[in-house]
Amino acid sequence: MDRIGSSVSKNRYSIFSLARNAVSYHQNWSEAWRSPDPAPAYDVVVVGGGGHGLATAYYLAAEHDVGRIAVLEKGWIGGGNTGRNTTIVRSNYLWDESAHLYEKSLQLWEGLSQELNFNVMFSQRGVMNLGHTLQDMRDIYRRSNANRLNGIDSEILTPAEIKAKVPAMNVSGEARYPVLGASFQPRGGVARHDAVAWGFARAADSRGVDIIQNCEVTGIRRESGAVSGVETTRGFIGAGKVAVVVAGHASVLADMAELRFPVESHPLQALVSEPLKPVLDTVIMSNAVHGYVSQSDKGELVIGAGVDAYTGYGQRGSFSIIEGNVAAIVELFPIFSRVRMLRQWGGIVDVCPDACPIISKTPVQGLYFNCGWGTGGFKATPGSGWVFAHTVARDEAHPLNAAFELERFTTGALIDEHGAAGVAH
Ligand code: FAD
Ligand code: PYC
């Protein structure tokens, strides 16, 4: 059959299949991944079914020969920060170590829908970081130059160029914090967060990974200094290796193995507006006024700010942050002043002192941690999974994550990325 004929017949097939499943109330749709009972033991157990855990399992199965793999998730996959974030993807970090890691991730994003055969709706609409003071602009020039030296796309925009790209923004000198310029990464953008979890889950499942939801890890069993398995709400599961990727709960899991990590757990909130007609086709971030905003494909403004100052595990947050956040957004975009907000939520982010992640072996043999991504790990999802899979499979860091091991907190080789994090914490 020629290509046109074949696509017509495929469309006909999917229209019939849609109609058939609609009248059967979707009861006959095949599951995108299996829901097996846990086996008594696996070669590798990944704890945490967020994007990072699922990506780790996928790359372990796709690129390394490690035997049987399970992902254990205490709730539903993607129900943690993966499904709660504002989906901004970029690689414009200052220092070489982080720039290389996030750029690897961005390159994986660029082929991810094809790799997973699942549309993760990665949209390279560009990310703009605004400068409001002379010092902001000095920092922007420094970071942009560092990015270019690392082969990462970066442009500097004047207020007039910003206005041409984003007509709704107030760039007049009258604003309390006037916009003096911006850096712009054209290859940055947003992706559909749930689809990232689902795409990695389906692709990992098809390579034999057992994805087990509603299975909370409650203990890490060790024998003679090596990990031997995990206690869970569904019983003991033996494991040759345990890879922990639990975002805002890293200290809780570390405690189970009598380890202490230098992370603080803070709520981070986000909110969305009622849907609007298309008004913003790029991503805007401002450190100085503390707000970031993009427009989802459904038309909602997706908005966020810095972390709540207190530590805790309640996935909500305080009203004062939202109040300051929307004030900042209205200052930048006066036309949004009458837009109504629809929903607000929070996630828990684990923050390291240098605003960089930990991707590391631990003093317990066979136990690995990937955590501390703070406010900025969504953009790293594929790259994080890729390097962590390497670390777990080979029992050694990949060159891209060698600088992100636990030992940097004793050697003092911290990598300060607070400026590039773009979100106050
Ligand atoms: P998660 O998706 O949280 O996955 C961890 C999983 O571990 C959870 O599903 C959890 O249920 C599970 N778990 C925890 N304890 C256990 C246990 N004992 N047993 C079994 N399972 C367990 N980053 C960006 O790059 N761009 C952004 O725009 C951005 N915006 C953000 C906005 C908000 C409001 C928040 C909260 C975060 C934002 N982030 C952003 C950060 C980003 O969301 C996270 O860094 C990233 O999603 C972490 O992915 P993960 O897979 O490690 O975490
Ligand atoms: O890391 O780009 C980021 C980010 C934006 C909003 C929250 N984190």
Side-chain angles (χ1 to χ4, degrees):
M1 197 184 297
D2 63 20
R3 275 165 81 194
I4 296 176
S6 117
S7 80
V8 168
S9 85
K10 266 191 204 142
N11 284 342
R12 219 178 265 144
Y13 172 79
S14 44
I15 290 163
F16 286 134
S17 143
L18 268 176
R20 200 175 44 247
N21 284 303
V23 287
S24 72
Y25 296 96
H26 296 183
Q27 278 171 8
N28 303 321
W29 269 6
S30 54
E31 288 176 336
W33 52 85
R34 298 162 300 125
S35 291
D37 288 328
Y42 292 89
D43 296 290
V44 181
V45 162
V46 177
V47 184
H52 288 226
L54 293 163
T56 303
Y58 168 75
Y59 289 115
L60 276 169
E63 299 191 6
H64 303 276
D65 189 13
V66 292
R68 293 207 65 193
I69 304 163
V71 176
L72 308 183
E73 166 54 49
K74 76 173 173 184
W76 65 96
I77 60 167
N81 289 350
T82 297
R84 292 164 187 269
N85 73 88
T86 46
T87 79
I88 299 173
V89 174
R90 57 191 171 87
S91 63
N92 54 354
Y93 281 70
L94 176 64
W95 299 105
D96 291 354
E97 294 85 347
S98 22
H100 294 162
L101 179 61
Y102 287 103
E103 177 57 21
K104 169 69 186 175
S105 197
L106 184 45
Q107 288 171 11
L108 289 171
W109 278 112
E110 286 173 328
L112 199 59
S113 293
Q114 288 77 9
E115 166 84 17
L116 301 178
N117 188 25
F118 197 94
N119 188 359
V120 300
M121 296 169 69
F122 181 45
S123 160
Q124 291 180 291
R125 58 186 69 179
V127 174
M128 207 180 277
N129 289 87
L130 303 179
H132 301 265
T133 63
L134 290 178
Q135 187 55 42
D136 274 358
M137 290 312 297
R138 287 185 203 110
D139 290 341
I140 281 175
Y141 273 104
R142 180 183 182 210
R143 191 143 57 89
S144 182
N145 288 335
N147 288 163
R148 288 188 210 167
L149 287 170
N150 272 318
I152 295 171
D153 56 320
S154 178
E155 298 168 11
I156 303 283
L157 303 181
T158 64
E161 289 167 330
I162 296 170
K163 187 74 180 168
K165 275 190 193 299
V166 189
M169 195 191 297
N170 176 17
V171 298
S172 77
E174 305 302 306
R176 180 153 172 239
Y177 299 103
V179 175
L180 301 186
S183 65
F184 185 61
Q185 183 176 23
R187 287 166 58 243
V190 291
R192 171 89 166 88
H193 45 13
D194 297 322
V196 175
W198 299 335
F200 272 119
R202 195 179 73 148
D205 172 87
S206 75
R207 283 166 174 76
V209 173
D210 283 358
I211 296 169
I212 302 162
Q213 303 183 76
N214 298 311
C215 181
E216 179 170 357
V217 169
T218 53
I220 297 176
R221 203 183 278 184
R222 289 148 291 142
E223 282 161 29
S224 314
V227 81
S228 60
V230 288
E231 315 286 351
T232 81
T233 46
R234 296 180 68 177
F236 175 75
I237 301 174
K241 293 180 174 181
V242 173
V244 181
V245 208
V246 292
H249 288 77
S251 318
V252 178
L253 272 287
D255 195 46
M256 293 177 193
E258 293 171 75
L259 299 172
R260 285 195 74 208
F261 288 175
V263 297
E264 278 187 4
S265 307
H266 290 267
L268 178 65
Q269 307 181 54
L271 55 159
V272 292
S273 73
E274 60 189 336
L276 308 178
K277 287 193 174 163
V279 62
L280 182 60
D281 64 0
T282 185
V283 179
I284 306 295
M285 300 183 69
S286 166
N287 284 13
V289 301
H290 277 152
Y292 35 91
V293 57
S294 64
Q295 188 170 22
S296 76
D297 294 339
K298 281 189 286 182
E300 303 158 329
L301 298 176
V302 182
I303 295 174
V307 298
D308 279 56
Y310 59 87
T311 54
Y313 291 111
Q315 294 188 114
R316 50 189 95 84
S318 39
F319 185 67
S320 56
I321 296 281
I322 304 175
E323 218 176 3
N325 187 192
V326 293
I329 296 300
V330 169
E331 160 126 10
L332 283 174
F333 293 94
I335 66 162
F336 294 161
S337 66
R338 281 178 297 139
V339 174
R340 284 166 297 192
M341 294 299 143
L342 267 196
R343 286 181 287 119
Q344 169 274 352
W345 65 89
I348 305 302
V349 297
D350 274 359
V351 180
C352 287
D354 56 356
C356 277
I358 297 166
I359 314 168
S360 187
K361 294 166 64 168
T362 70
V364 179
Q365 199 191 322
L367 178 64
Y368 309 83
F369 268 76
N370 181 342
C371 61
W373 291 93
T375 59
F378 178 70
K379 68 176 79 64
T381 304
S384 157
W386 192 81
V387 294
F388 198 38
H390 176 107
T391 305
V392 172
R394 309 240 181 129
D395 197 37
E396 64 180 17
H398 185 276
L400 284 173
N401 67 302
F404 298 97
E405 299 216 297
L406 269 170
E407 66 179 22
R408 78 176 187 274
F409 300 105
T410 46
T411 62
L414 302 186
I415 308 155
D416 184 354
E417 287 288 6
H418 278 94
V423 179
H425 60 272

